[in-house]
Amino acid sequence: MDSRELLQAQVAQPGSVEELSAIVNGTVWTTDFRQLERGDEKAQLAVAATPRTVLLQVDLSSRVHQFAAPNASRVCFGLPSRPQAPFMFGRRLCDCDTIMQFDNRAGMETVSQSGFSAFALSVEHEHFGAIAESLGIDGAVPQRPVRGSVKLMQPETMSRLRLSMQGLLQAALERDESATGNIARTLDSDLLLEVVMAFAGGEEP
């Protein structure tokens, strides 16, 4: 397969949070985002994807009611991409040092405050299982968590994860065809390994 077919990357800046939700909805996510306050909404979505793994970053400028649930064929993790106001994940309060693993059925329903920014990494169940088994931690990270799962990370760990995700997105969006294959492999392997290891070593809140 041509390396250009292995990696897709784009940035979208829709005119409203509802338009952003429509862009994401029906891909590997089911989403329903609704702005809760008057005024112009600045929303941005950045995506890097291979056939097996999707990394996205969402930025929202105002208070938004969010519902997001990953496709049933996916294992999905989320984390704030910068320090920001805490938000609820189910009945758990999540801050900037939290990694979440989504329940495919219940998803996440929350009200995010202005300045919300987060990464989401989703991967096919089969590929995730192979990675977890290779690390010897397949029992430590469930493939289908009931009502989702939350782990607390050390700030240094979160900083490394954010840098890795931001760097990969930027590299993918630069569209350097000579590096496309390496970026795709990093997304499918190195970044996923980093997230899975961090989540497995995190603390229960």
Side-chain angles (χ1 to χ4, degrees):
M1 182 182 292
D2 191 311
S3 64
R4 288 171 293 184
E5 298 177 12
L6 291 174
L7 182 72
Q8 302 294 323
Q10 68 178 49
V11 173
Q13 294 178 318
S16 70
V17 68
E18 289 81 7
E19 289 180 32
L20 182 144
S21 182
I23 293 171
V24 178
N25 195 27
T27 56
V28 298
W29 292 89
T30 297
T31 58
D32 185 4
F33 289 5
R34 299 175 188 238
Q35 186 173 340
L36 296 178
E37 55 193 14
R38 294 181 178 179
D40 293 336
E41 167 65 30
K42 294 180 180 178
Q44 178 170 292
L45 173 70
V47 182
T50 71
R52 295 190 294 192
T53 311
V54 177
L55 173 65
L56 60 82
Q57 182 177 9
V58 173
D59 292 278
L60 306 171
S61 65
S62 64
R63 292 180 69 244
V64 172
H65 177 271
Q66 298 187 34
F67 171 77
N71 185 288
S73 66
R74 296 265 166 173
V75 180
C76 297
F77 300 91
L79 62 149
S81 56
R82 60 173 177 253
Q84 59 196 276
F87 58 93
M88 298 301 295
F89 182 76
R91 297 181 178 179
R92 289 156 290 194
L93 185 67
C94 296
D95 62 18
C96 60
D97 292 326
T98 303
I99 297 181
M100 302 150 287
Q101 185 182 6
F102 288 78
D103 179 343
N104 299 86
R105 293 161 295 182
M108 177 187 78
E109 187 166 8
T110 191
V111 173
S112 58
Q113 302 304 310
S114 59
F116 176 84
S117 181
F119 293 113
L121 181 71
S122 66
V123 59
E124 290 181 338
H125 276 289
E126 184 176 349
H127 184 52
F128 172 85
I131 291 290
E133 184 176 1
S134 71
L135 295 172
I137 57 172
D138 46 316
V141 183
Q143 290 207 37
R144 292 179 172 84
V146 178
R147 294 185 297 278
S149 182
V150 173
K151 292 288 186 73
L152 299 177
M153 303 288 121
Q154 293 296 319
E156 298 81 7
T157 301
M158 292 298 288
S159 293
R160 287 195 300 271
L161 288 175
R162 291 187 183 110
L163 285 172
S164 295
M165 291 181 172
Q166 192 62 60
L168 190 146
L169 275 173
Q170 289 177 350
L173 292 167
E174 287 173 358
R175 302 182 183 279
D176 180 353
E177 292 185 5
S178 65
T180 295
N182 287 335
I183 297 169
R185 285 187 290 273
T186 298
L187 180 55
D188 277 340
S189 181
D190 297 350
L191 181 62
L192 180 57
L193 286 168
E194 190 175 358
V195 172
V196 170
M197 287 293 289
F199 189 85
E203 298 180 2
E204 298 285 346

